[in-house]
Amino acid sequence: MSRRLDDVSTPARLAEAEEGIGRDELALATRNHGLPLEALRYDVTPPGLHYVLTHYDIPYLPEDAAWELTIDGLVRHPLRLGMDDLRSYPAVTARVTMECAGNGRARLVPRPVSQPWLVEAVGTADWTGVPLRLLLADAQVRDGAVDVVFTGADHGVERGVEQDYQRALPLEVATVDEPEVLVAYAMNGAPLPPQHGQPLRLVVPGWYGMAQVKWLRDITVSDAPFTGFQQTSAYRLRQEPHELGEPVTRIAPRALMVPPGFPDFMSRSRVTRPGPVSLEGRAWSGRAPIATVEVTTDDGRTWSEADLDEATAHPWAWRRWRFEWTAEPGEHLLSARATDAEGNTQPLNQPWNRGGFANNLVQRIPVLCLDTEGSRSG
Amino acid sequence: MSRRLDDVSTPARLAEAEEGIGRDELALATRNHGLPLEALRYDVTPPGLHYVLTHYDIPYLPEDAAWELTIDGLVRHPLRLGMDDLRSYPAVTARVTMECAGNGRARLVPRPVSQPWLVEAVGTADWTGVPLRLLLADAQVRDGAVDVVFTGADHGVERGVEQDYQRALPLEVATVDEPEVLVAYAMNGAPLPPQHGQPLRLVVPGWYGMAQVKWLRDITVSDAPFTGFQQTSAYRLRQEPHELGEPVTRIAPRALMVPPGFPDFMSRSRVTRPGPVSLEGRAWSGRAPIATVEVTTDDGRTWSEADLDEATAHPWAWRRWRFEWTAEPGEHLLSARATDAEGNTQPLNQPWNRGGFANNLVQRIPVLCLDTEGSRSG
């Protein structure tokens, strides 16, 4: 019998009603990881707490010295650049909040079977590298260029298609000067860790993670729209399997809250005691600056505006918000909702598509406030 | 009605037959994370790839300067030490492989409902700190001391009991000079990251992770055996809920393999093409040095000895093994099995206990070898 990739690589599907998380989803959840929400307290996410999503394996590339980035296709002057060549360009550092396009997927009903994020697939880092527009200027893009295609070193099979990870950006996005797309070689002032693209990755401020190609080895300018798997099969907003669907692009607004009080180990339920509780979190949007964050402590019956920290010099990074709450004994449901300057806001009912992409449903945090005599035993 | 901790904190349980991974287990899997198995290629696990298990929240302690470690209880000379005091002691660096006591739990039948590890809860780091025996010598432990109790800054509720995380070691383990227990302030040459105990943690070479108390703030010498939750309720090997059970202590031998070929995104199944495939991985034991690693490529019908790298100067770190395989078209089941110098080896049938602890069942990796004309489309 012939052994084929589709023996192990099956089409996308939705979970049945009541179907628990499967072994395949768990295998993704144990190797990829989210931001523990208490780490929303940091302006810049410490190494190892930033979310990570790897489609295939993390390439083993301990030696950066030999790395070469090629820039070719519809250009007059193809380039072959080593790491030292790239470091000889002007370095730019941008503080950018990245979020996985599948964040929130595991809360959807029905649940698209894929990486099962709850709400934690986010992180903020200081990325340092070369503006892509400078590299494309040196390569001298020819007339008629449409898309710029980025190829990573990660290789695998997905939905029956063997591939290197590839994504494209329209030429006008790849070359715009605000926000500037970076070919980055440093994260938080240190060389990229393996799981974040060592030695080289793309950073596209404001876009979901699928655009941030890691282990970047080739940039090809094309005179036709890119039709690779990750552009036209995956990362589309579809209600039905065979629709073309809209592409996933920029990050929808979202606010997350540092879960207050302390957790139960197993249920992760939050526990507080009566009295003042300072609520805080972060809010971000890849479409426009955050305008307001509202908080509810009564499951949406009433909303109050939170205090937003001063806007900083980092328009593509999340912004901190704070809200003072007085907890009273009983059960409470807390939420925060972000709205950006273009009026994009978070829905209270799930936005659903077959891929579970770009879902920014408002987070709900159950909190149990103990009676004052709550146990301190142990 | 009175609000009590046991409204949100329930007893340990086993999953029903066919019960999928639940939302509570998923919430743990998305915040804790394992070692992506391809990272077994590194002698020392890069930051962010080492496994992490946090019972409660990661404490927010951005300012190390104010940190104090107290050493008290049955001592003549109680100590209160700041970070500079600790750095003034002779520094020792030890390369140690750590593994979560619950590694492999999610593969057990029936499945104990807790952090759902498959096989990836492991990592190896160079830990730098002060030998605990030097601190206890300065504190002058009194006659009659039995246990040394370690308290972390992480606070939560577990199975109905509110607590700071606490574990103890017998005095003779805490003060032995080989392997030396460390009060560590650096990991791989850098200050501890928040998720690994910033600014201070215990490192007990050879023991499972529950002994490696993070965010260490107090060491108390006691004249009685410690009976705290993590010592006598959790981390015991039990067949029935109400047994006292044996304590979980040292790491049982285990070998893991870098999954060969490339993965399917969703199923994580491995795919290769016909011909030579270099298999490699790591093996470790907290009980005695690794003596042999055997490999099977036919699901255990035949086993062959793998090549072990030279033993290094790091007796408590994993050891690399290699095995050359010639893949032929078809489906294959690969495993590796470690045996240590005391004859401890890995079982082929699951060792089961209600906590899913210290389980070192042999890993099985299904590999599909394509016909030579296997698709390269995409």
Side-chain angles (χ1 to χ4, degrees):
Chain A
M1 122 183 211
S2 171
R3 309 297 180 168
R4 308 178 50 78
L5 288 173
D6 49 20
D7 294 347
V8 296
S9 190
T10 57
R13 71 179 188 90
L14 304 176
E16 301 296 327
E18 307 306 309
E19 178 183 342
I21 298 294
R23 173 68 64 95
D24 51 357
E25 292 166 289
L26 178 60
L28 284 166
T30 54
R31 57 177 276 116
N32 296 310
H33 68 91
L35 176 90
L37 294 185
E38 62 270 29
L40 289 165
R41 291 192 176 94
Y42 298 91
D43 291 336
V44 174
T45 307
L49 294 179
H50 194 291
Y51 96 89
V52 172
L53 185 286
T54 307
H55 278 242
Y56 314 123
D57 286 355
I58 298 169
Y60 181 67
L61 305 164
E63 266 312 319
D64 294 2
W67 192 257
E68 278 193 337
L69 173 69
T70 50
I71 303 180
D72 47 28
L74 198 66
V75 298
R76 282 190 191 76
H77 181 47
L79 300 175
R80 179 178 295 274
L81 302 167
M83 295 304 294
D84 290 342
D85 302 322
L86 289 162
R87 292 194 191 91
S88 72
Y89 280 85
V92 168
T93 296
R95 184 166 298 177
V96 174
T97 294
M98 281 188 197
E99 182 175 12
C100 184
N103 199 14
R105 176 185 289 125
R107 299 181 304 160
L108 295 175
V109 181
R111 183 179 81 250
V113 174
S114 184
Q115 167 72 37
W117 297 121
L118 292 165
V119 295
E120 60 292 300
V122 67
T124 297
D126 287 332
W127 301 100
T128 301
V130 188
L132 175 62
R133 61 189 175 84
L134 298 185
L135 299 178
L136 291 175
D138 279 5
Q140 301 171 37
V141 175
R142 292 180 186 275
D143 296 345
V146 172
D147 270 2
V148 182
V149 183
F150 306 91
T151 303
D154 44 331
H155 183 88
V157 53
E158 199 160 340
R159 312 308 182 191
V161 180
E162 185 176 346
Q163 60 192 281
D164 296 334
Y165 189 86
Q166 288 188 304
R167 283 278 308 184
L169 293 171
L171 182 66
E172 60 273 20
V173 174
T175 52
V176 72
D177 58 3
E178 171 48 35
E180 196 156 56
V181 175
L182 297 181
V183 173
Y185 46 73
M187 179 185 190
N188 299 347
L192 297 182
Q195 69 275 26
H196 289 292
Q198 176 196 24
L200 214 55
R201 75 173 299 166
L202 204 64
V203 174
V204 188
W207 286 54
Y208 281 112
M210 77 282 152
Q212 324 281 344
V213 177
K214 300 191 284 289
W215 313 290
L216 181 65
R217 60 175 178 77
D218 180 73
I219 298 173
T220 298
V221 179
S222 167
D223 61 359
F226 178 62
T227 59
F229 178 89
Q230 303 294 347
Q231 207 86 14
T232 57
S233 298
Y235 296 112
R236 310 287 293 201
L237 304 174
R238 298 185 178 97
Q239 295 298 315
E240 298 302 330
H242 299 299
E243 290 172 33
L244 174 58
E246 288 299 308
V248 177
T249 58
R250 294 184 169 278
I251 298 174
R254 190 194 292 274
L256 289 177
M257 185 184 300
V258 174
F262 56 85
D264 173 58
F265 168 71
M266 192 63 228
S267 68
R268 307 315 295 176
S269 299
R270 307 301 302 191
V271 178
T272 65
R273 292 199 163 73
V277 177
S278 295
L279 303 178
E280 71 168 290
R282 302 276 171 172
W284 61 93
S285 169
R287 302 177 182 181
I290 289 297
T292 59
V293 173
E294 300 158 284
V295 172
T296 177
T297 58
D298 57 13
D299 196 21
R301 281 187 292 283
T302 60
W303 292 86
S304 309
E305 200 159 319
D307 295 326
L308 271 179
D309 279 9
E310 287 297 308
T312 67
H314 308 293
W316 304 100
W318 56 25
R319 215 164 138 189
R320 181 158 54 180
W321 60 264
R322 304 158 182 276
F323 183 83
E324 293 303 319
W325 175 47
T326 302
E328 293 172 2
E331 293 167 1
H332 307 277
L333 267 165
L334 279 49
S335 295
R337 176 173 59 189
T339 302
D340 70 22
E342 288 180 359
N344 305 302
T345 190
Q346 296 183 247
L348 299 172
N349 298 310
Q350 68 172 29
W352 189 90
N353 57 76
R354 296 190 69 88
F357 296 123
N359 149 38
N360 62 339
L361 177 63
V362 164
Q363 168 196 29
R364 294 166 88 227
I365 302 179
V367 177
L368 174 71
C369 179
L370 299 171
D371 306 326
T372 45
E373 63 276 15
S375 155
R376 283 188 177 280
S377 62
Chain B
M1 126 182 208
S2 171
R3 309 298 181 165
R4 308 179 51 77
L5 289 172
D6 49 20
D7 293 347
V8 296
S9 191
T10 57
R13 70 179 189 92
L14 304 177
E16 301 296 326
E18 306 309 309
E19 178 183 342
I21 298 295
R23 172 69 64 95
D24 52 355
E25 292 165 289
L26 177 61
L28 284 165
T30 55
R31 56 177 276 116
N32 296 310
H33 67 92
L35 177 90
L37 294 186
E38 62 270 29
L40 288 165
R41 292 192 176 94
Y42 298 91
D43 290 336
V44 174
T45 307
L49 295 178
H50 194 291
Y51 97 89
V52 172
L53 185 286
T54 307
H55 278 243
Y56 313 123
D57 286 354
I58 299 168
Y60 180 66
L61 306 164
E63 266 312 319
D64 293 4
W67 193 257
E68 279 193 335
L69 173 68
T70 49
I71 303 180
D72 47 30
L74 198 65
V75 297
R76 283 190 190 75
H77 182 49
L79 300 175
R80 178 178 296 274
L81 302 167
M83 295 304 295
D84 290 344
D85 301 322
L86 290 161
R87 291 194 191 91
S88 71
Y89 281 84
V92 169
T93 296
R95 183 165 299 177
V96 174
T97 295
M98 282 188 195
E99 182 175 11
C100 183
N103 200 14
R105 177 185 288 125
R107 299 180 303 160
L108 295 176
V109 181
R111 182 180 82 250
V113 174
S114 184
Q115 167 71 37
W117 296 121
L118 292 166
V119 295
E120 60 292 296
V122 65
T124 296
D126 287 331
W127 300 99
T128 300
V130 187
L132 174 63
R133 60 188 177 85
L134 299 185
L135 299 177
L136 292 175
D138 279 5
Q140 301 173 37
V141 173
R142 292 179 185 273
D143 294 346
V146 173
D147 270 0
V148 182
V149 183
F150 306 90
T151 303
D154 43 333
H155 184 87
V157 54
E158 201 162 338
R159 313 308 181 191
V161 180
E162 186 176 347
Q163 58 192 282
D164 295 335
Y165 189 87
Q166 288 189 305
R167 283 277 309 183
L169 292 172
L171 182 67
E172 60 273 19
V173 174
T175 52
V176 72
D177 59 3
E178 173 47 34
E180 201 156 49
V181 176
L182 297 181
V183 173
Y185 46 73
M187 179 186 192
N188 299 347
L192 298 183
Q195 70 274 27
H196 289 291
Q198 177 194 21
L200 214 55
R201 75 173 299 168
L202 205 64
V203 174
V204 189
W207 285 54
Y208 282 112
M210 77 280 153
Q212 323 281 343
V213 177
K214 300 191 284 289
W215 313 291
L216 181 66
R217 60 175 179 75
D218 180 73
I219 298 173
T220 299
V221 180
S222 167
D223 61 359
F226 178 63
T227 59
F229 178 89
Q230 302 295 347
Q231 207 86 14
T232 57
S233 297
Y235 296 113
R236 310 287 293 200
L237 304 174
R238 299 186 177 96
Q239 295 298 314
E240 298 301 332
H242 300 300
E243 288 173 35
L244 172 59
E246 287 300 308
V248 177
T249 58
R250 294 184 168 277
I251 299 173
R254 189 194 293 273
L256 289 178
M257 185 184 300
V258 173
F262 56 85
D264 173 59
F265 168 71
M266 191 63 229
S267 66
R268 307 315 295 176
S269 300
R270 307 301 302 192
V271 178
T272 65
R273 293 199 161 73
V277 177
S278 294
L279 303 178
E280 71 170 289
R282 303 276 172 171
W284 62 93
S285 169
R287 302 177 181 181
I290 289 297
T292 59
V293 172
E294 302 158 282
V295 171
T296 178
T297 58
D298 57 14
D299 197 19
R301 281 188 291 283
T302 61
W303 291 86
S304 308
E305 198 159 321
D307 295 326
L308 271 180
D309 279 7
E310 286 298 308
T312 67
H314 308 294
W316 303 99
W318 56 24
R319 214 163 138 191
R320 179 157 58 180
W321 59 265
R322 305 160 182 275
F323 184 83
E324 294 302 319
W325 176 46
T326 302
E328 293 171 3
E331 293 165 1
H332 307 277
L333 267 165
L334 279 50
S335 296
R337 177 173 58 188
T339 302
D340 71 21
E342 287 180 359
N344 305 302
T345 190
Q346 296 183 249
L348 300 172
N349 299 310
Q350 69 172 28
W352 189 90
N353 57 77
R354 294 189 70 88
F357 296 124
N359 149 38
N360 62 339
L361 176 64
V362 164
Q363 169 196 29
R364 294 167 88 229
I365 302 180
V367 177
L368 173 71
C369 179
L370 299 171
D371 306 326
T372 44
E373 64 276 13
S375 155
R376 282 188 177 281
S377 63

